Amino acid sequence: MKIPDFGISRVLSVSVKISPAAACYPAFLSEHFQAAPPALAEPELFPDNAPDELAWQSRWFAGDFGRDFLTTTGETVKVIDFG
């Protein structure tokens, strides 16, 4: 069975010109950002063991999870005192 072409071969034969700066970009990325792990990362909340309820509450009341939240309707809520 022959699959119809639908003119796709004409679309695939279009050439794209790339600027010299854009051609150098992949090499720049691999040289400067792929060699080392990223310097910025969020710290683990509990690096050594699984947290218990008291640990979760301590982090919550300290504000470790943030102070600005969104409601289910999209309104901003700022928690001033967690206690």
Side-chain angles (χ1 to χ4, degrees):
M1 179 178 173
K2 185 175 180 178
I3 300 174
D5 183 8
F6 296 115
I8 294 175
S9 62
R10 285 180 279 154
V11 174
L12 297 177
S13 66
V14 174
S15 64
V16 177
K17 291 184 180 181
I18 299 175
S19 70
C24 295
Y25 188 66
F28 172 79
L29 285 179
S30 64
E31 181 180 334
H32 294 285
F33 295 105
Q34 303 296 332
L40 297 176
E42 292 184 19
E44 293 183 37
L45 292 175
F46 300 97
D48 295 333
N49 55 4
D52 59 349
E53 181 65 25
L54 186 59
W56 283 113
Q57 289 179 12
S58 297
R59 301 305 287 271
W60 173 257
F61 287 118
D64 288 348
F65 301 112
R67 295 190 175 276
D68 298 314
F69 301 97
L70 288 177
T71 66
T72 55
T73 60
E75 298 175 67
T76 303
V77 175
K78 181 175 182 94
V79 178
I80 297 172
D81 183 11
F82 287 95

